[in-house]
Amino acid sequence: MLPVGKETSNENREPSSGTTGEASVVEEEQVTVIRGGQDGSLFLTIAALAVCFGAVHFLFVLLLVTFFFLPLSKAFGVLGFLSIFAVIPVNDKSTLGRCLSRFICKLACGYFPVTLHVEDIRAFDQNQAYVFGYEPHSIFPVGLVALAHHAGFMPLPKIKVLATSVVFYIPFLRHIWTWLGATPATKKNCIFLLAGGYSCVVVPGGVEEVCHMEHGLETAFLKTRRGFVRIAMEMGLPLVPVYCFGQSYVYKWWKPTGNFYRHLSRTIKFAPIVFWGFLGSPLPYRHPMHLVVGRPIELKKIPQPTNEEVAEVHTRFIEAMQDLFETHKARVGHPDLHLRIL
């Protein structure tokens, strides 16, 4: 549901300071703009971002120390400890986890900051489940914090983000992402959640999109990604295009090129890539992000759609994504940005 204390107007207004953690809601030319998050202390903000985005770097350093500096007995102890944390069940309803996820969402949204733009917020029914197609993937789809359930930006009570399954075998990171509302991106899992009334956010490009990233160019790997469209058609649920402007600039990165790199990434379901933020740390650069949510594409329920029917709806989704990008890129400060859809 929309946060208490909202501000609605037909004129552009300055956003609230955000010091209370509330969201500021403004209507600008039929687009609802939600500016939220909490502008907390520097220490708390760094702590929140380190917990959310620093787990990969922490594990890398920990493994280096384990293999090169610890005696064999202690090294086995550390590896055993990490193995346990990689497989023990995570309680997604943990009180501690919920408090931590709210803490991360508020401070992360205020740090960049993240602004949510919804073309037609009245078109969303809190009793309806939706399939959101989110682009781009970038290093991390950082802008998803604005769609997380605990951010409270969207008027939907239940939202889950589908992420690559390998994340949920990485110690500590799997805990954080689960508490933030992420879940493994499998067909079975997606159908189960949608049937239970959860809206699902899918990042269709995934690992393949990371492999095709180029500096200075927005890339969306969509043309062969039809699984999420088929599921939406089979269940008769609306498809919603979402694009995050500015996300590509929060980290600098380097990656190999060539077929071997792409084949390796597909095999391990993870794209090995070197990335860094402020002063070479996991702390992302402070760059404004604008998350634009398009109008829902209503679909008729077809239990067994043909390939041709899926292709037709898939084309409509790609066109909606392209139109969303072109319509809003100038108003959010990226007039010269180009989108390449592969």
Side-chain angles (χ1 to χ4, degrees):
M1 297 177 64
L2 289 176
V4 179
K6 67 181 182 179
E7 174 191 2
T8 304
S9 171
N10 291 324
E11 299 177 358
N12 295 338
R13 295 185 183 176
E14 290 298 319
S16 64
S17 62
T19 54
T20 63
E22 302 278 349
S24 172
V25 184
V26 183
E27 290 186 2
E28 299 176 351
E29 299 177 354
Q30 308 305 316
V31 176
T32 302
V33 181
I34 305 173
R35 303 179 179 96
Q38 179 174 335
D39 188 12
S41 70
L42 178 61
F43 174 78
L44 290 178
T45 300
I46 291 177
L49 295 172
V51 168
C52 188
F53 304 117
V56 174
H57 293 75
F58 170 74
L59 284 172
F60 179 73
V61 172
L62 180 60
L63 289 174
L64 282 180
V65 172
T66 299
F67 284 119
F68 293 104
F69 297 100
L70 293 183
L72 191 60
S73 59
K74 292 185 178 179
F76 276 118
V78 172
L79 293 177
F81 177 77
L82 292 178
S83 298
I84 292 173
F85 266 80
V87 296
I88 59 173
V90 181
N91 180 12
D92 63 346
K93 295 180 174 59
S94 161
T95 301
L96 171 63
R98 291 190 175 199
C99 291
L100 183 61
S101 62
R102 282 194 291 267
F103 171 73
I104 290 173
C105 286
K106 287 181 179 180
L107 291 178
C109 287
Y111 169 77
F112 292 103
V114 182
T115 302
L116 187 69
H117 306 252
V118 187
E119 285 193 334
D120 188 359
I121 200 166
R122 295 176 182 83
F124 291 91
D125 181 355
Q126 64 177 356
N127 298 313
Q128 168 80 63
Y130 297 84
V131 179
F132 292 86
Y134 179 100
E135 290 290 346
H137 185 287
S138 307
I139 301 299
F140 284 132
V142 180
L144 285 173
V145 293
L147 291 180
H149 169 68
H150 293 296
F153 282 6
M154 287 295 292
L156 301 174
K158 299 191 293 185
I159 302 177
K160 288 287 186 180
V161 176
L162 274 63
T164 178
S165 300
V166 71
V167 166
F168 299 94
Y169 292 98
I170 300 178
F172 309 122
L173 188 63
R174 63 194 292 263
H175 291 76
I176 302 303
W177 283 34
T178 297
W179 291 333
L180 284 171
T183 188
T186 65
K187 180 179 179 180
K188 180 180 179 181
N189 203 20
C190 184
I191 292 174
F192 174 78
L193 289 168
L194 291 170
Y198 282 88
S199 294
C200 289
V201 184
V202 182
V203 187
V207 172
E208 192 73 30
E209 186 171 302
V210 176
C211 294
H212 287 88
M213 286 193 314
E214 293 184 16
H215 292 288
L217 180 65
E218 299 285 283
T219 300
F221 192 83
L222 280 174
K223 290 185 178 179
T224 59
R225 302 301 205 202
R226 298 182 178 180
F228 71 105
V229 175
R230 182 179 292 274
I231 290 174
M233 294 177 69
E234 290 174 349
M235 304 190 72
L237 299 176
L239 274 172
V240 184
V242 181
Y243 200 89
C244 185
F245 294 90
Q247 179 179 272
S248 302
Y249 306 109
V250 300
Y251 281 113
K252 293 182 179 179
W253 54 269
W254 175 88
K255 67 178 179 65
T257 57
N259 292 329
F260 175 76
Y261 174 69
R262 287 196 291 271
H263 290 317
L264 174 65
S265 299
R266 290 193 200 105
T267 301
I268 64 176
K269 297 182 179 180
F270 183 81
I273 190 168
V274 179
F275 67 95
W276 62 94
F278 182 69
L279 296 177
S281 73
L283 183 68
Y285 290 102
R286 194 170 192 177
H287 192 286
M289 288 190 288
H290 296 269
L291 194 70
V292 184
V293 179
R295 293 178 176 81
I297 303 172
E298 299 292 338
L299 301 179
K300 181 173 62 176
K301 184 174 181 178
I302 306 177
Q304 294 181 318
T306 64
N307 290 337
E308 290 74 18
E309 289 172 326
V310 173
E312 179 184 351
V313 174
H314 182 252
T315 299
R316 287 172 57 194
F317 177 81
I318 291 179
E319 291 174 349
M321 181 69 78
Q322 182 77 62
D323 183 63
L324 190 72
F325 180 88
E326 297 298 335
T327 299
H328 295 278
K329 67 179 185 180
R331 66 185 294 274
V332 299
H334 299 275
D336 300 321
L337 200 61
H338 298 283
L339 174 63
R340 177 182 61 163
I341 297 181
L342 301 176

